[in-house]
Amino acid sequence: MNDTSSTVSRRRHIVRLAVFACFLLGLFYLVAVRRVIDVEEVRRMISATGPAAPLTYVVMSAVLGALFVPGPVLAAGSGLLFGPLLGIAVTLGATVGTAVVASLVGRRAGRDSARALLGTERADRVDALIDRGGLWAVVGQRFVPGISDALAAYAFGAFGVPLWQMAVGAFIGSVPRAFVYTSLGASIADRSAPLAYAAIAVWCVTAVVGAFAAHRGYRKWREHAGAAGDDVPESEAP
């Protein structure tokens, strides 16, 4: 009876996570691929709010980012509207907002199911790892090219990364890219070639650092996985 109940509960958690993953993938397809949200129209609406436009842009970009509107598009719009200095501050505020919103949703939708599927012992081990290095995991993810920040934030939330780590990690890790994409947007508005060149140079350095960090992290993960496999007793080996 207990085995049957455990199996049903496990299936329920798997279905819940699968539904959540399908929802996120569908949302990503509609917003990031099909572009069902008109970012230009949103930008015009925000610019019409006058002095409140920077704060309005922070709030709207935080929500749009969590809905998978590409961060570079939002950051470039910030630079276009507010210039490089204020624009970078607005971009960073929106980035932190997106990380917090997506993390909260991920925690609410997937945290209990993720812990249930991992089991108490493994879940506690993951929590201990997060306590030690969750902040730097968030920072590192921001440097790795090709990974959706919003999607990563949903995953971090499901695995229980604390909100303060999400907010601080997103801020620290997003500074280079915030400068790059906001400055590119501002350079279009101001027709400033030096600003554009500086942004491109920072982007190249960030991409190299991100690729190196991803490669090193993968190697360390393989080493840890291999060490863990060697520690498994022969009676427990498959």
Side-chain angles (χ1 to χ4, degrees):
M1 182 67 179
N2 288 336
D3 290 342
T4 302
S5 177
S6 176
T7 301
V8 171
S9 177
R10 185 178 179 82
R11 287 177 180 172
R12 179 168 58 84
H13 288 300
I14 292 173
V15 169
R16 182 178 179 180
L17 288 177
V19 169
F20 182 53
C22 289
F23 170 76
L24 292 180
L25 289 174
L27 191 62
F28 179 83
Y29 174 75
L30 290 173
V31 176
V33 179
R34 295 299 301 271
R35 306 291 176 89
V36 297
I37 296 177
D38 189 343
V39 179
E40 290 293 334
E41 182 61 28
V42 172
R43 193 179 301 149
R44 283 193 291 269
M45 290 171 56
I46 292 173
S47 63
T49 61
L55 181 59
T56 305
Y57 201 89
V58 168
V59 175
M60 288 296 296
S61 291
V63 175
L64 292 174
L67 295 175
F68 295 110
V69 172
V73 173
L74 296 172
S78 176
L80 194 63
L81 287 176
F82 309 116
L85 295 180
L86 179 57
I88 290 172
V90 169
T91 296
L92 286 173
T95 298
V96 171
T98 293
V100 170
V101 170
S103 176
L104 282 172
V105 174
R107 178 183 291 266
R108 179 71 176 174
R111 173 68 171 151
D112 291 342
S113 294
R115 282 190 64 87
L117 293 177
L118 286 172
T120 303
E121 186 176 342
R122 288 182 180 176
D124 290 342
R125 229 180 289 149
V126 169
D127 288 344
L129 288 173
I130 289 172
D131 288 339
R132 291 198 302 268
L135 172 63
W136 300 112
V138 177
V139 173
Q141 176 270 311
R142 298 280 162 158
F143 279 84
V144 179
I147 298 178
S148 166
D149 292 340
L151 195 59
Y154 284 117
F156 281 133
F159 280 101
V161 175
L163 285 181
W164 76 267
Q165 291 187 356
M166 286 300 308
V168 176
F171 180 86
I172 295 172
S174 298
V175 168
R177 284 193 294 173
F179 171 79
V180 169
Y181 296 117
T182 306
S183 297
L184 286 174
S187 69
I188 294 173
D190 300 337
R191 297 185 179 181
S192 172
L195 187 60
Y197 292 147
I200 292 171
V202 172
W203 182 88
C204 291
V205 172
T206 303
V208 171
V209 170
F212 175 77
H215 177 68
R216 185 172 182 180
Y218 176 70
R219 286 184 60 187
K220 289 184 70 175
W221 174 80
R222 287 197 64 180
E223 289 173 3
H224 286 310
D230 292 339
D231 290 339
V232 175
E234 291 185 5
S235 59
E236 296 182 13

